Amino acid sequence: EKSDDKDQDQDTGNAEAESKKENGERDKKDKKGKVGGKDDIKVDEANDKENRVVELIDFLAEELRRSQRETKRKPVPNAISQVLAYNKSVLPEHINEHNDPYRVEWIDEAHSKERDVFYGEEVARLVNPDEFQVRMPFYRGVFNVEDYTSIEECLGDIQSIWEYAIEQVMGIPRSKLKEYYAMLVVPDIYMKGHVEALLRVLLNYMEFGAVAVHQSSVLVTFGAGVSSACVVDVGAQKTAIACVDDGYCLPDTRVNVKYGGDDITYFLNDLFVRSLFPYSELDLNKTYDWNLINLLKEKHVTLNLSDVSVRVYDFFMRKPNQPTLKYMFKVYDEPYFAPWCLFYPELVSAFSDLPDWNNSFACFPSWHVFDEQPSYSGEYLAACQFGKLPSVEVIDTSLGPAVVPTAAQPNENVDIVDVDMLKHPKNSTALKKDTSAAPTPPLDPVLAAADSSLVSAPTSVPDTPLAIKPTLPSNANTTAPQSTAVLNPTPPVDFPVYTRVYDHAAVNTLMPLDEAIAHSIAHAGTFDKIKKYYSSILLVGGGISHIPFISDFLQYRLYSASRKYSDGNDAETVEKIEMLPSPRDLDPKALAWKGGAVFSRLDITSELWITREEWDHVGVRLLRDRTLFQW
């Protein structure tokens, strides 16, 4: 038996050595044939990103081998060489149209000339998409500032998409919207100006009978039928995390990170290219190519170690005016590596850059002149947003009142003294943990029907493209207001004071998913509440909820991430982490719709509806009294 174990260890060592050599071979092949970054990125910067991606892929390969050793799984010998050799020799098989049961009904040029605008899935079926301008009003959960030049133009497309969905999909005539109420679902971290702009669209332009507003995480708990949970909503382009306690979203626990399921698609595409994907014309800028990789992601991406082996898959490539082609291809670790980009966000940054929202039309205050003056210091529209700004606690050991800075310049570190921090040191364990803050960015609402009410949920609008022929010039010239800092007054104290030093760099860095969840729960309050939220994590959205073993993988990662916020205190070690399943087999993507439908029928909601007449007379100030969250 000892001899057998020794032979097995030797075989494992040889397999690992072969795997390392093969990884190097896969990286070399990629460098020869792969094009660098965008045209406006310097060559050396593109090379640095490429080198970093290669380093992280090698690191993931090492992690895979370590996991295989721990679970007594033997790596497949020459796995990568098998994949490269097979994919290089694959030739497509032509499929006749009458033998293709899933052939696409393309919208030909004659039909496309009859209409100027196409919506949703129609855009993917256009024969001549190059003759149209394809736009999405939302990007990363914020107004799309790259495809639009003004807020009016963006809001116009949002209204067009909503009206098309209501009239063509739901069958409700535009003239009867006065008889319907709408539920507007806003993100947990929002900007008041963005919420006001969408309310104006619903009440003034679409003329709904009334509108109510609520936060997405709270409505998800209504849809799931739970009173308290840590809601982790991973969408296509953003991830929102918040802890909900009996229908109230705890402000300090809100986290919004700019990555999602689309970033897994980008990374999976890169891994396929490195493995000599047989379809060499792959271009994610083309709708049908994007849909192909997205479909392969949904079918084959996994976090189950048992699925990591050399496997043969097939796919069908359908293009307009061309016969359907069937391809066979082999994979090894690519489907397993793809979701890891959310835990190593450098892989996200390597394939996409965030727009400069703070210097665009998306950065504007509330339009009501009597609303409180907002501050803009960059955290509203950053890569990572928090209920409170990420900060470092500085302890003033001298007895006496804390000293508050008299002035603050925009985009500079500012010492902020918060009254919540003025507690006795024996109760300061939770306060020492990495805290963070900022108001909020916009949303991605969409309408759905619930009896006589319409519910809007934050998942479909960002993914709904709009193809439009004419491009209207913008007349708006909106400038972003300068940032200011608000200092909280501090009463005299006679014990050590914890002051928060704002860390502006933290909001510009993507936080790994497991750390973002741990960061949110750590700010829930007492350790009893922290334990409660770790045992009730609700994973929703269409970004990763479909991935096999994602719950088990997140549990494993969270045990390590939770220790970061325990300050080495064994008494505050989390012993139980549990992921709540979607109730009654409901689609996790539909929980916001379900929650909005439930909320719209509650008795308390009758006091929250905002009619058009009230909106015209009072305006945004109504939201102070008509919302169940802090406005």
Side-chain angles (χ1 to χ4, degrees), residues 500-517:
R500 289 174 177 162
V501 179
Y502 276 23
D503 182 9
H504 288 280
V507 298
N508 296 319
T509 304
L510 294 175
M511 178 179 284
L513 179 59
D514 51 341
E515 292 187 16
I517 298 174

Side-chain angles (χ1 to χ4, degrees), residues 18 89 143 256 394 430 588 622:
E18 292 175 357
S89 62
F143 290 136
N256 187 300
V394 178
L622 271 172

Side-chain angles (χ1 to χ4, degrees), residues 103-140:
R103 61 181 178 273
V104 178
E105 297 296 333
W106 299 99
I107 301 176
D108 56 24
E109 296 185 16
H111 183 62
S112 64
K113 290 180 180 179
E114 298 175 359
R115 295 171 53 186
D116 291 331
V117 184
F118 292 87
Y119 302 88
E121 295 180 355
E122 294 178 335
V123 178
R125 297 190 289 114
L126 287 173
V127 173
N128 54 339
D130 295 337
E131 297 182 10
F132 291 82
Q133 184 180 8
V134 181
R135 306 188 299 195
M136 299 187 191
F138 288 96
Y139 178 69
R140 300 288 183 185

Side-chain angles (χ1 to χ4, degrees), residues 533-596:
Y533 288 118
Y534 269 116
S535 60
S536 56
I537 298 175
L538 189 59
L539 183 62
V540 298
I544 61 175
S545 56
H546 65 279
I547 300 177
F549 279 73
I550 182 61
S551 297
D552 298 320
F553 185 79
L554 263 179
Q555 284 178 310
Y556 171 76
R557 300 277 301 188
L558 284 173
Y559 276 113
S560 299
S562 63
R563 299 189 189 100
K564 176 181 178 181
Y565 295 93
S566 65
D567 293 336
N569 187 352
D570 293 338
E572 291 195 358
T573 302
V574 178
E575 298 179 354
K576 180 183 178 182
I577 296 178
E578 185 177 353
M579 312 291 292
L580 298 180
S582 184
R584 299 178 297 279
D585 297 326
L586 282 177
D587 187 350
K589 294 183 291 186
L591 285 182
W593 274 277
K594 179 66 175 178

Side-chain angles (χ1 to χ4, degrees), residues 22-92:
E22 290 175 343
N23 274 323
E25 183 180 357
R26 174 166 58 179
D27 296 338
K28 288 179 182 178
K29 288 180 179 292
D30 172 71
K31 290 181 180 180
K32 289 180 181 179
K34 192 177 178 184
V35 180
K38 297 180 180 179
D39 295 335
D40 59 347
I41 299 179
K42 296 180 180 179
V43 175
D44 54 349
E45 184 179 348
N47 290 336
D48 290 341
K49 285 186 176 181
E50 170 62 21
N51 292 334
R52 184 55 183 157
V53 170
V54 171
E55 290 176 3
L56 288 172
I57 292 176
D58 291 340
F59 170 77
L60 295 180
E62 183 62 35
E63 285 291 303
L64 173 60
R65 290 190 290 269
R66 181 186 61 80
S67 300
Q68 287 174 329
R69 286 196 303 268
E70 291 177 353
T71 56
K72 306 297 183 181
R73 289 182 172 88
K74 185 177 180 181
V76 179
N78 303 320
I80 297 177
S81 297
Q82 294 180 42
V83 171
L84 295 175
Y86 182 87
N87 291 343
K88 188 177 181 179
S89 62
V90 167
L91 294 176

